[in-house]
Amino acid sequence: MNFSILIIFALLATTYAASVVSRSHSYTLASRALRSATNLTISNKIIAPDGFLRSATLAGATFPGPLIQATKGDHFAINVVNKLDDDSMFKSTSVHWHGLFQNGTNHMDGVSFVTQCPIAQNDSFLHSFDVPKQAGTYWYHSHYSTQQCDGLRGPLVIYDANDPLSYLYDVDDETTVITIADWYHIVAPVLRHIIGVKANSTLINGLGRYTGGPKSEVTAINVEYGKRYRLRFVGMSCDPSFNVSIDGHNLTVIEADGILTEPLLVDSLQIFAGQRYSVVLTADKLVDNYWLRALPSTINSTFLGGLNSAILRYKGALAEDPTTNQTKSIMPMLETNLHPLSNPGAPGIPEYGKADINLNLVVNNTGGVFSVNGAVYNPPTVPVLLQILSGAQEATDLMPDGNVIVLAANKVVELTMVTNGFGAPHPIHLHGHAFDVVQSGGNSFFNYLNPVRRDVVSSGAEGQQMVMRWVTDNSGPWFLHCHIDWHLDAGFAIVIAESPSDTRKHLKGLPTAWDDLCPIYNSLTPSQLGAVNSYEEAANITTLLLPN
């Protein structure tokens, strides 16, 4: 898609704006929810979630993608079918099941050039894996360059019939899953070349408004007086974090990133890209409409005119915008106050630097390019897993110097990260594991007794230190990266290769289709890959460009 077409879209959006009246949409995922065995078709479609028309890359032809529902212990068999055809965006794809450990199925993790080659246009790949022990709130998204920022993101929930905290809530279904995402009016292949990208709007369950745009629909979450709701917040951002609150209501946090926590009463919580929280809301206020607010960390963000907002609507209230006011938060959620409900305690000797393996990572930024211990991450042409299965075992065999760390099996790892330069705090995600955050960014103390256990953690502000621990009990290459997609694309990542010598025997059968992905992808022409002129289009917008 060239910029003349974008201009036409903008004009169409202006026309569209004139016809839009103030209204809200009672959003439900029930009509298009999928089960754990399904086809998931990836295609392009023109949508206007905030009133601005643009082509997007979507799962199931919607934004967010359809909710994938499962019950604890279910087998997953998700066939990702690539029907992408928009030349302005990437036409290959991959889908990552964020937060699922993939123990024994590293090849199903869905990470381009780490665990597989991308799925080419008009091809498909069946993701078949078990999730025997996990339950909670997860999500799926593209893990191919910055493609998720064009729309390939959706929620995934694994329900537990024996949830030990079920006594705290009455309702937990499709209507209580709440996705929060940033949205862009220019396609991601263009934006990925620009330093300092800012989102145009915040979409809550796929609806929102942008500055200067129409008063388009916002989402209404329906509740009934006297009932208690488990709201599952999914932070599917490409960049900003969001400070979330609901006017007049407190929230009780009971889950962080798929791990149940001891109940914690708060009146606001910050959700970084990739993070998920379950909170219990008691609908005990006057029957009315209340603003649900998700203020992005983007400079100068406001709630003016319903920006960055949705509606909590009590049954019996009029279908109108709320008039409620935001009050100052006096009980914000602090990560250090979150503690696992079951099996608390970090592994290993409870003292800093006394793990079996102690890693120190320093992140820097130069001219918009990120490095970890001096190395800028560049995706290899041959996926790391394929290299390991071909016999490569040492870091120097696998990737350019500094892009991979090889760890021995069944060791306690303590990773210390300090981030310098532009862009902090960064949401740090480790694939294949949940980890114990023994020191949260910005805190001077350590907690080995009952630290929060999760899979995405804030690095803290510039120059601050964050420390995590986990056990290397899941052989295979696992991605460790900033979950701000623009930062990952600009080099903020490293591969953790756990016990490569054990990987082949740890895997539960490699399908022929997995072997076929690379030859098919490697045969593609530039036009078949898509986004051919993205750098030139970025140069037409700004001179603040990353190296091509």
Side-chain angles (χ1 to χ4, degrees), residues 143-213:
H143 228 306
Y144 178 58
S145 185
T146 55
Q147 187 178 61
Q148 74 144 316
C149 305
D150 278 326
L152 207 176
R153 324 175 219 175
L156 188 157
V157 175
I158 302 176
Y159 294 94
D160 184 358
N162 299 308
D163 178 11
L165 294 180
S166 62
Y167 68 94
L168 291 174
Y169 54 87
D170 307 305
V171 183
D172 175 27
D173 58 22
E174 300 93 339
T175 67
T176 63
V177 177
I178 302 174
T179 64
I180 306 176
D182 49 350
W183 192 246
Y184 301 84
H185 292 169
I186 297 174
V187 296
V190 173
L191 293 179
R192 68 183 285 258
H193 298 297
I194 299 173
I195 299 173
V197 174
K198 292 183 180 179
N200 293 100
S201 62
T202 297
L203 304 183
I204 301 177
N205 280 358
L207 295 173
R209 297 170 183 168
Y210 66 94
T211 302

Side-chain angles (χ1 to χ4, degrees), residues 339-356:
H339 308 296
L341 182 69
S342 303
N343 304 313
I349 299 171
E351 187 177 343
Y352 181 62
K354 293 298 180 67
D356 299 325

Side-chain angles (χ1 to χ4, degrees), residues 125 510-517:
F125 181 65
L510 278 168
T512 302
W514 183 86
D515 284 314
D516 293 340
L517 289 172

Side-chain angles (χ1 to χ4, degrees), residues 301-382:
S301 297
T302 74
F303 298 115
L304 188 65
L307 297 173
N308 308 307
S309 302
I311 299 170
L312 183 77
R313 175 166 292 150
Y314 277 69
K315 183 179 180 179
L318 296 176
E320 59 186 17
D321 280 0
T323 58
T324 55
N325 295 316
Q326 184 184 32
T327 56
K328 183 178 180 180
S329 176
I330 58 174
M331 291 188 299
M333 187 202 73
L334 301 177
E335 185 177 68
T336 50
N337 289 336
L338 291 173
H339 308 296
L341 182 69
S342 303
N343 304 313
I349 299 171
E351 187 177 343
Y352 181 62
K354 293 298 180 67
D356 299 325
I357 301 171
N358 299 283
L359 302 176
N360 291 281
L361 302 183
V362 177
V363 179
N364 284 293
N365 181 289
T366 304
V369 176
F370 288 88
S371 62
V372 179
N373 286 359
V376 177
Y377 177 78
N378 287 297
T381 54
V382 178

